[in-house]
Amino acid sequence: QDGPQRKKRRSEAAEVEQQADILAVGTAVGSILLYSTAKGELQSKLEGGHDNRVNCVRWHPDNCCLYSCSEDKHIVEWNTQTCKVKCKWKGDNSSVTCLCISPDGKMLLSAGRTIKLWDLETKEVYRHFTGHATSVSSLMFTTVKPMNESKPFDGITGLYFLSGAIHDRLLSVWYIRSDRKEKNAVMSFTVTDEPTFIDLTVSEVKEEPVKLAVVCRDGQLHLFEHILNGYCKKPLTSNCTIQIATPGTDGDSTPKPVPILAATFCADKQSLLLVYGNTLQPIIEKVSLNTTESHMCLIRDVQKVLSLKTDVALTKVKTPVVGSDTKVLVPGIPGHSAAVKTPSAGKEKKKNKRKPGETEESIEERLGALDIDVTKVKTPGGLPQTDSFAVLLVQGLESNDAEILNRVLNTRKENVIKNTVARMPIHAVIPLLHELTKRLQGNPYSASLMVRWLKSVFTLHASYLSTLPDLIPQLGMLYQLMESRVKTLQKLSRLHGRLFILVTQVAASETVQDVTEVNQTAKLVYEDGSSEEEGSDDEMIADKDSDENWDEDEEKEEQSDEQDMTVEKEINGDSDLEPENESEEE
């Protein structure tokens, strides 16, 4: 080869060495940050490629290219030297969640829900794989060379790769064939929960098994070891499961699980680096894998490790020593005394043991000591409250228990009914209405009680009922019942009125019969003769006066009639009459 090209190659190699310490971080806004781990600072920022959240970033093994995929459905190839987009193409119809570059660097796997294998030179799809039901969270190649070495190797055919998806407890293994016939997974590994971190040892020789370490959301680590040699029908279970727990000592007798956050194989492929504990302060430990046990539980005291570090950090803060005779003033309400625990009192644990002669205090006495009113605690007659009424009602409706329903629905108190209906869940409204309809058809006494329940149901849950599309068929029976009742209401009210009148008349006649008759004859009569004569004279005078008054009244009436006549004639235009006629009229 010529000199200039050789120089170019050397410069490329130097660039790759420089790039070894750079960490690429995808952000939610679509930009990618390049961070130098050696310098401890941000080196550059890649912008203009994505306009939505970056899901995955992958470095190319040979050149300085970086590949990224995003929620905006696109895959971008970046030149990290110029910090510009080298190429951008649409990766899927939905968001692209994961990427993986082939061992030879000529192919790229991308996945949303379906998995696609791209040719990086032409940017065209080379193969399609069916994928998962949910979006893929991890993709990685498990082999570098094909198992069948008889055929010439083109860099991709005959390789296996692994994929895992969110909310999926199966990890699928896919085989890249020369033909496009089979698109389904050839085998799968089953785990206890959704995988959060996966690492594997790549199989380089034909008979070398692939080792797989899968960390699940439940904090367990599953180890698999399998030789990839074609199709396997059943999902493979783990060879070994590793868990970490705290020792059950130092007062806390129950061991607690410590979640494993990540795990990766060391270079010798015989030991693992485990990351466990808190995400803010994780502990990294090297564990060897020379065990044949199917389940390992490592006991680690995480609290001690963490507490030592926190104690060191808080050395400058001094706590005052409080003596037993010292009085400490506590902020709060004046006159409110709060018990202050001295450091010595905290260490001694009092054991609540009774002496042989003592008797145990009753609950009433204990409540009295706590200043709690005992009468308030006891519910009168053991009646349940409205919140328990709502629970009882739902239980009765679900189990169709007549005893519970009778107990709840026969309450007469308006506020209890209202609170119960308000606190019951929405899904129980329609069953309650059906039950009320059934009871309305029974005897009139129960119907009068059911109407109260109906009223509160319709007032409190009207907005929910109006949203139901099949409301009319659901409440058809109730409508018919109400209509038939309302139709007879007029007749009943008329009958009620008549009966009321009859009843009142009967009652009145009975009261009349009961009253004793009063004797109307006078007990004493007094007669005076002189007063009788005077009275007759007075009557005569009164008669005369009345006769005179009568004549005067008549004259006055005639005069008023004549005045009325003249007024009428003036109005009608008859005032221009002849004088003779006038005199005659007068």
Side-chain angles (χ1 to χ4, degrees), residues 162-418:
L162 179 91
S163 71
I166 58 166
H167 311 306
D168 195 348
R169 295 191 297 125
L170 285 176
L171 297 166
S172 302
V173 178
W174 312 80
Y175 179 63
I176 301 165
R177 297 171 163 271
S178 55
D179 56 354
R180 300 188 177 206
K181 280 182 183 177
E182 199 166 341
K183 295 178 182 179
N184 298 328
V186 288
M187 64 180 75
S188 57
F189 299 102
T190 179
V191 287
T192 53
D193 204 347
E194 178 190 335
T196 54
F197 194 94
I198 301 168
D199 190 52
L200 51 82
T201 61
V202 178
S203 172
E204 292 173 1
V205 193
K206 188 179 178 182
E207 294 300 322
E208 188 186 0
V210 171
K211 288 183 180 179
L212 184 67
V214 184
V215 178
C216 296
R217 196 173 285 283
D218 58 5
Q220 293 187 40
L221 168 67
H222 299 279
L223 297 172
F224 298 88
E225 196 171 328
H226 188 73
I227 297 167
L228 302 174
N229 54 359
Y231 186 74
C232 184
K233 194 175 181 181
K234 286 184 179 178
L236 300 166
T237 53
S238 60
N239 296 48
C240 180
T241 303
I242 298 173
Q243 282 178 293
I244 298 176
T246 58
T249 53
D250 297 336
D252 192 11
S253 57
T254 54
K256 290 178 182 176
V258 178
I260 299 171
L261 306 172
T264 180
F265 286 99
C266 298
D268 60 351
K269 296 185 183 181
Q270 295 301 317
S271 52
L272 268 173
L273 275 178
L274 293 183
V275 182
Y276 59 89
N278 190 357
T279 46
L280 298 172
Q281 204 174 10
I283 300 157
I284 300 171
E285 186 185 333
K286 192 172 181 179
V287 180
S288 59
L289 298 174
N290 52 0
T291 178
T292 53
E293 291 176 20
S294 62
H295 197 98
M296 274 174 71
C297 185
L298 307 173
I299 294 163
R300 301 284 182 271
D301 198 351
V302 183
Q303 294 296 323
K304 260 185 190 175
V305 180
L306 295 175
S307 62
L308 280 169
K309 288 181 181 177
T310 50
D311 286 346
V312 171
L314 299 173
T315 45
K316 290 178 183 178
V317 181
K318 291 184 180 180
T319 52
V321 180
V322 182
S324 58
D325 56 342
T326 314
K327 187 180 180 182
V328 181
L329 297 173
V330 182
I333 307 157
H336 178 267
S337 60
V340 178
K341 290 179 182 177
T342 55
S344 59
K347 289 174 187 175
E348 293 172 9
K349 286 188 179 178
K350 289 183 181 179
K351 290 186 180 177
N352 194 7
K353 285 187 178 179
R354 280 206 317 275
K355 289 174 184 177
E358 284 183 4
T359 54
E360 193 177 358
E361 287 183 341
S362 68
I363 292 169
E364 199 165 339
E365 285 169 3
R366 288 181 194 176
L367 289 173
L370 290 167
D371 293 333
I372 293 170
D373 192 358
V374 183
T375 54
K376 284 181 187 174
V377 176
K378 291 177 181 174
T379 54
L383 282 169
Q385 301 302 311
T386 46
D387 51 353
S388 61
F389 253 81
V391 173
L392 275 173
L393 181 59
V394 173
Q395 285 177 354
L397 290 168
E398 284 176 356
S399 61
N400 206 6
D401 193 332
E403 195 178 335
I404 296 173
L405 289 169
N406 288 336
R407 188 179 173 187
V408 176
L409 296 174
N410 286 343
T411 48
R412 289 168 168 272
K413 292 178 183 176
E414 289 286 342
N415 60 339
V416 172
I417 292 169
K418 206 171 185 180

Side-chain angles (χ1 to χ4, degrees), residues 515-579:
V515 174
T516 55
E517 286 184 4
V518 181
N519 191 8
Q520 299 291 333
T521 55
K523 296 279 176 93
L524 181 69
V525 179
Y526 176 73
E527 289 181 3
D528 193 357
S530 61
S531 65
E532 236 178 18
E533 287 169 6
E534 282 173 10
S536 62
D537 292 343
D538 291 342
E539 281 172 10
M540 286 291 286
I541 293 158
D543 288 343
K544 281 178 186 175
D545 290 346
S546 63
D547 288 344
E548 284 168 8
N549 291 342
W550 182 253
D551 295 339
E552 281 173 10
D553 291 343
E554 277 181 348
E555 282 173 8
K556 280 179 186 176
E557 278 177 8
E558 281 173 5
Q559 283 174 7
S560 64
D561 289 344
E562 284 168 7
Q563 282 173 2
D564 291 343
M565 287 282 284
T566 53
V567 170
E568 277 178 9
K569 282 169 186 172
E570 280 172 9
I571 291 163
N572 297 331
D574 300 340
S575 61
D576 304 332
L577 288 167
E578 292 173 2

